[in-house]
Amino acid sequence: MHSGNRITRRSFMLAAGALGLALAGTAQAAAFPQRPVAMIVPFPAGTAVDVVARFLATQLTQQWKQPVYVENRVGADGLIGTVAAKMAPADGHTILYSGPPFLFVPDLNPQADYDPLKDFRPVARVTAPVYMLAATRNAPYSTFQEMVETARRTGGQLDIGTAGAHGTATAAGMARAAGVDVNIINYKTTAQLISDSIAGHVPMVLSALGSLNALTHNGSLKALAVSGPQRSIIAPEVPTAMEAGAKDFSVVSWNGAFVRTGTPDAAVDAIAQAIHKATLGPDFIEFCRAQGLEPAFEDGKAWLKALPAERTYLNGLLRQSGLLAAK
């Protein structure tokens, strides 16, 4: 006797065919990207955020066989580009590639129409550059400690030039931790800041290590300290501000990728995996050394845990600098 629930060869082939079509449809739906990807950088071309974004865009284009292009949407310390990314569809085909102002601009500007920890989802941190404090060639000090002594003698008349709210907050925090008062001059562009420092128009400059490292090595400027918790692998001869006397002070910048909240997990995972792959090769290490950047890949899930505390810390520095009103 045979069971009445007999499966014929024809019905089996039809079922198998239907299953194959379903699996193919699932694979097609999960494929990412399905069209060109825009990487919005809310800062000018040539900045640390921008150069890393362009490196990644090239790498991701090669991996995905889809164009990944960088759009510089500049203005309001990153606000313009960030809002543009927020308005894009939540499908992963628009990536926001940004830096620390992404976290604190809404706190500085009540009109900022986004919440960094609600409207966006971190995908991957890529590098973690540090700041360098440097003096002009003719400055009467050559170390951080000598600068502190000079600042104390002059009663806060010593100038530090920097650019952007994050640089201003870092300079103020470093001076406060060292127990001195300084006068912070905020430049609109890093290019003008560095030009004035080389010419001696401002006695000290605080900027990304990558923008000052070559100038300190060729004698145009004198390196005093870096802002990170440990010495930089790019300039290991330069002490940290903390070891030079700025008690408990540490600031590390970063740049990384975000997408809108609501972006499918499959797209987020595909972007994170592609970025991670791009950071594993020798080309990335060579690129970072050439740019004065610290490689620091971290996936979005791990990075998300640290961002709320960093936002709180940055707000504290902004209050010290006077950019953010005290509570």
Side-chain angles (χ1 to χ4, degrees):
M1 296 286 295
H2 294 287
S3 169
N5 191 26
R6 184 176 61 182
I7 300 177
T8 66
R9 178 178 177 83
R10 175 177 172 78
S11 62
F12 177 81
M13 294 301 292
L14 288 172
L19 177 62
L21 288 173
L23 291 175
T26 301
Q28 185 176 10
F32 180 89
Q34 297 183 352
R35 60 180 186 275
V37 174
M39 188 176 289
I40 294 179
V41 174
F43 303 105
T47 58
V49 177
D50 175 74
V51 295
V52 179
R54 292 180 186 278
F55 175 90
L56 292 176
T58 299
Q59 297 290 316
L60 269 54
T61 295
Q62 293 173 357
Q63 290 184 42
W64 288 337
K65 310 304 179 186
Q66 284 277 12
V68 179
Y69 56 93
V70 172
E71 291 185 16
N72 294 94
R73 301 281 190 94
V74 181
D77 219 357
L79 175 60
I80 302 300
T82 303
V83 172
K86 179 188 172 184
M87 300 299 291
D91 59 9
H93 289 85
T94 300
I95 300 169
L96 174 67
Y97 198 81
S98 194
F102 166 80
L103 282 180
F104 61 71
V105 162
D107 300 311
L108 291 178
N109 183 356
Q111 304 303 315
D113 189 22
Y114 76 93
D115 184 312
L117 301 179
K118 292 181 179 179
D119 294 328
F120 289 92
R121 178 176 175 179
V123 177
R125 185 188 67 184
V126 181
T127 72
V130 296
Y131 285 99
M132 175 184 279
L133 179 68
T136 59
R137 289 179 299 178
N138 298 326
Y141 39 83
S142 299
T143 67
F144 188 83
Q145 293 92 336
E146 291 173 354
M147 179 276 294
V148 168
E149 292 171 4
T150 301
R152 286 174 179 162
R153 286 198 307 268
T154 58
Q157 297 303 306
L158 205 57
D159 293 341
I160 297 179
T162 189
H166 195 246
T168 298
T170 301
M174 185 182 291
R176 184 183 180 95
V180 297
D181 292 323
V182 296
N183 181 38
I184 300 173
I185 302 173
N186 198 319
Y187 281 75
K188 290 184 177 181
T189 68
T190 300
Q192 186 60 51
L193 165 66
I194 293 175
S195 176
D196 274 11
S197 65
I198 294 173
H201 299 320
V202 60
M204 282 190 294
V205 56
L206 183 131
S207 189
L209 185 152
S211 63
L212 299 181
N213 197 39
L215 297 172
T216 59
H217 279 115
N218 69 19
S220 298
L221 297 172
K222 296 185 288 188
L224 302 181
V226 293
S227 67
Q230 62 269 329
R231 296 192 180 201
S232 168
I233 62 173
I234 308 301
E237 73 282 2
V238 182
T240 67
M242 186 158 44
E243 68 179 297
K247 186 178 179 180
D248 297 327
F249 172 81
S250 173
V251 171
V252 176
S253 185
W254 48 261
N255 55 72
F258 299 83
V259 293
R260 276 191 53 192
T261 298
T263 300
D265 289 345
V268 176
D269 291 343
I271 298 168
Q273 290 168 12
I275 291 175
H276 191 203
K277 182 177 179 180
T279 67
L280 293 176
D283 288 351
F284 180 68
I285 302 301
E286 183 179 345
F287 164 80
C288 285
R289 288 192 176 277
Q291 297 294 331
L293 300 170
E294 308 273 353
F297 177 86
E298 186 172 47
D299 69 58
K301 293 177 183 177
W303 191 21
L304 177 60
K305 297 176 182 178
L307 289 177
E310 182 177 358
R311 185 181 188 183
T312 299
Y313 180 68
L314 289 174
N315 281 353
L317 292 179
L318 290 165
R319 290 189 183 94
Q320 290 178 17
S321 70
L323 291 176
L324 185 62
K327 289 184 177 179

